[in-house]
Amino acid sequence: MNYQMIGFVIGRILLTEAALLMLPAVTALLYGEPLAPFLFPALALVLAGLALSGRRPKRTALYARDGLAVVALAWIALSIFGALPFVISGDIPHFVDAFFETVSGFTTTGASILTDVESLSRGGLFWRSFTHWVGGMGVLVFVMAILPMTDGHGMHLMRAEVPGPSVGKLVSRMSDSAKILYGIYLVMTVLEILLLLAGRMPLFDACVHAFGSAGTGGFSSRALSVGAYQNAYYDIVIGVFMLLFGVNFNLYYFLLIRRFREVFRSEELRAYLLIVAAAVLAIAADILPLYGSAATSLRHAFFQVSSIITTTGYSTVDFNAWPTFSKAILVVLMFVGACAGSTGGGIKVSRILILVKSSIADMRKMLHPNAVTTVRLEGKPLTDKNIRGAHVYISVYLLVFVASFLLLSLEQFDLITTFTALAACINNIGPGLEVVGPMGSFAAFSPASKLLLSFNMLVGRLEIFPMLLLFAPSIWKRRLVFRKPTL
């Protein structure tokens, strides 16, 4: 383990968070609010960051286990310091609640303990939603874009942080890949803000909802979420952008360099859009008696499917009141998630495809033992290692889910609340059903359960392995070669 380099990178990340806190500080200044809630944590971050990264290590190489440790420790540290503005301002006076809200922000979950969002200060609301934008593409990816890693080992950081079963370079240098990704991310965010402004949404609200859409997080400046506006134009713009941010960002790069065939040939993209279309039509038909209009039913179905499959969590209506069939579809979409390489959470469409295709291949092998079967994805054959990686991920995911579900059930909430609360957190969605529905919150959970759910949010965002292996003694004691399961 290169302990000095791990500390150096974490120190740079803390300095970056201190700089990011200046944006909500400026917001607070514009609205005549106190600056102390942002300046004091920024000062603490600068001191801690300089203490860790004041001297550059002689050996700057970062290997697989170093990358895992950096990512897990960095996200925990970011959340701890990021919670301080809420506590100091009094917006969220209890630290565990503030930590839960901050983890939910950075992991782009959108689960909230707040029951009166509008009562928060403007600076607090801005910081709360801005954490979505920062965490959406990845904190370390952002740092790599401005502070390139040396020795060519930045891939280990990106592999540990970026959602999806595989990570590849867009160009030869990892730092350039990070810049391209964040450039696309920024342009799409600004475009959404402009379109919302064109519909006469206030600038502050447009920024908040664009941050939530881009990071597929779901924090809103309104207690009733997007539904507070009762505006079809906003529903369509935000719904479309949620879907766009749920697409693998590599495909946008291919569009920019005119490799259109790569985009149209994407099997995961086709499956993603097919799932969305099927779910929208099924739900729209099911809820038609509630709204009496096909257009209204399609609009609400499209928005909610887009919100849930991309794990954003915005809502236009209380879907907790929808028929059981519609709610069942939404729960299934919670687990499916968006595409690999997007800002969305969940298991990912690519892993679902691998699971389905490998299962069909195994059944064919049972019928025809001597047949040669090949599992292909995106036109390429998958090796046994690729398939095993997807199976291992889903197996560990289920083990973590079951263990967390049993612990959370000690709260004595009803089964649906307990199940969907955990599903909403580990899949980084936000709202669940019943008590934690779109009009509810996580305020009723005990501090211990909030910490457990915070852990699950981090596990879901970092795709399990960095957080779990952080607690493995062997990762600190001896050389361990780890590679995230790849396609």
Side-chain angles (χ1 to χ4, degrees), residues 259-274:
R259 288 169 58 179
F260 302 115
R261 184 177 297 179
E262 298 281 350
V263 178
F264 296 128
R265 202 168 54 184
S266 173
E267 195 172 349
E268 183 183 33
L269 178 61
R270 293 199 304 269
Y272 172 66
L273 296 177
L274 180 63

Side-chain angles (χ1 to χ4, degrees), residues 4-5 7-13 15 45-58:
Q4 289 184 332
M5 191 59 187
F8 179 82
V9 175
I10 293 175
R12 288 298 177 92
I13 292 168
L15 290 173
L45 282 162
V46 169
L47 294 176
L50 290 176
L52 290 171
S53 62
R55 181 179 300 177
R56 191 177 188 86
K58 294 181 179 179

Side-chain angles (χ1 to χ4, degrees), residues 370-487:
N370 297 323
V372 178
T373 58
T374 303
V375 179
R376 305 177 71 88
L377 186 66
E378 308 292 6
K380 300 176 183 178
L382 297 176
T383 64
D384 290 339
K385 180 182 177 181
N386 299 145
I387 298 171
R388 186 173 64 252
H391 283 239
V392 167
Y393 176 86
I394 294 173
S395 298
V396 177
Y397 170 94
L398 291 175
L399 288 173
V400 173
F401 190 96
V402 170
S404 300
F405 179 70
L406 291 175
L407 290 173
L408 197 62
S409 65
L410 296 174
E411 284 278 353
Q412 301 300 318
F413 286 105
D414 64 272
L415 188 63
I416 294 177
T417 295
T418 303
F419 183 85
T420 58
L422 178 57
C425 288
I426 199 170
N427 293 315
N428 304 134
I429 293 162
L433 297 174
E434 302 299 341
V435 175
V436 294
M439 301 299 122
S441 75
F442 287 73
F445 284 89
S446 68
S449 291
K450 289 172 184 172
L451 290 175
L452 172 64
L453 291 172
S454 298
F455 173 77
N456 277 280
M457 287 188 276
L458 288 167
V459 164
R461 174 58 182 84
L462 301 180
E463 305 229 305
I464 300 175
F465 297 106
M467 285 301 297
L468 292 188
L469 292 179
L470 180 64
F471 301 102
S474 58
I475 197 174
W476 303 101
K477 291 181 180 179
R478 59 184 175 83
R479 183 176 179 83
L480 177 67
V481 179
F482 172 85
R483 292 182 177 84
K484 188 177 177 181
T486 59
L487 288 179

Side-chain angles (χ1 to χ4, degrees), residues 108-109 216-218 239 242-243 246 272 275-276 279 283 300-317 319-320 322 326-339 344-347 420 423-424 427-433 436-438:
T108 71
T109 302
T216 61
M242 286 190 294
L243 276 184
Y272 172 66
I275 293 169
V276 169
I283 291 178
H300 290 313
F302 167 73
F303 186 94
Q304 223 50 72
V305 167
S306 177
S307 177
I308 297 300
I309 195 171
T310 60
T311 69
T312 304
Y314 282 140
S315 60
T316 54
V317 293
F319 57 80
N320 197 38
W322 282 1
S326 295
K327 291 190 289 186
I329 293 175
L330 294 179
V331 170
V332 171
L333 295 180
M334 287 182 183
F335 290 91
V336 173
C339 298
I347 293 174
T420 58
N427 293 315
N428 304 134
I429 293 162
L433 297 174
V436 294

Side-chain angles (χ1 to χ4, degrees), residues 191-207:
L191 180 58
E192 183 178 1
I193 291 174
L194 293 175
L195 288 173
L196 290 175
L197 289 175
R200 299 188 177 181
M201 179 180 281
L203 176 60
F204 182 85
D205 289 7
C207 290

